[in-house]
Amino acid sequence: MRNYKYLLAMLLLFEFCLAGCEKGTKIKSLEPNFGNVSGHDVVVIHGNGFKTGMVVQFGEQQVKNVVIENSSRLRVKTPPGIEGKVDVIVIGNDGKKFALTNGFSYIRGTP
């Protein structure tokens, strides 16, 4: 009987984790999702699985300073870019890339 209780407890814990745990790194949104082509705009990246040491790119341009506020929020300053939409990419310590396709728009002038 004791083994069944242990097994039941393990199954309930497993179900709880499946229902409430988001696995892996994911970019959900950017705030704001546009900025000036000259760069230097502060952008907050919302998602999950963010860890120290991650690299962020806007298109092919790497961000110089990534501030990890918590596991679901990064703060960066955009690098300069060319007018149009670019993918936003977060690269994990293991080299895996997670992208938000066309997630940011570079515009000319003041938004």
Side-chain angles (χ1 to χ4, degrees):
M1 186 70 162
R2 193 178 290 170
N3 286 340
Y4 290 115
K5 287 182 182 179
Y6 176 76
L7 181 58
L8 180 60
M10 293 303 293
L11 286 172
L12 289 173
L13 182 62
F14 181 72
E15 277 295 314
F16 175 77
C17 188
L18 283 180
C21 298
E22 291 189 56
K23 302 228 182 224
T25 302
K26 182 178 180 181
I27 304 171
K28 294 180 181 178
S29 64
L30 275 67
E31 184 183 343
N33 64 353
F34 61 89
N36 197 289
V37 293
S38 63
H40 308 291
D41 292 306
V42 175
V43 173
V44 175
I45 301 172
H46 298 276
N48 59 282
F50 299 144
K51 299 175 185 166
T52 302
M54 291 187 142
V55 173
V56 176
Q57 290 179 205
F58 282 68
E60 297 296 318
Q61 300 297 316
Q62 185 171 324
V63 171
K64 290 183 181 177
N65 188 25
V66 177
V67 176
I68 300 180
E69 295 182 349
N70 57 49
S71 65
S72 62
R73 198 174 146 110
L74 302 175
R75 187 171 23 95
V76 300
K77 281 191 180 178
T78 58
I82 57 172
E83 192 171 12
K85 293 183 178 189
V86 295
D87 296 345
V88 178
I89 303 163
V90 173
I91 304 169
N93 297 335
D94 57 2
K96 288 184 181 178
K97 295 182 179 184
F98 309 92
L100 184 60
T101 305
N102 294 323
F104 187 82
S105 295
Y106 280 105
I107 58 174
R108 292 197 181 281
T110 306

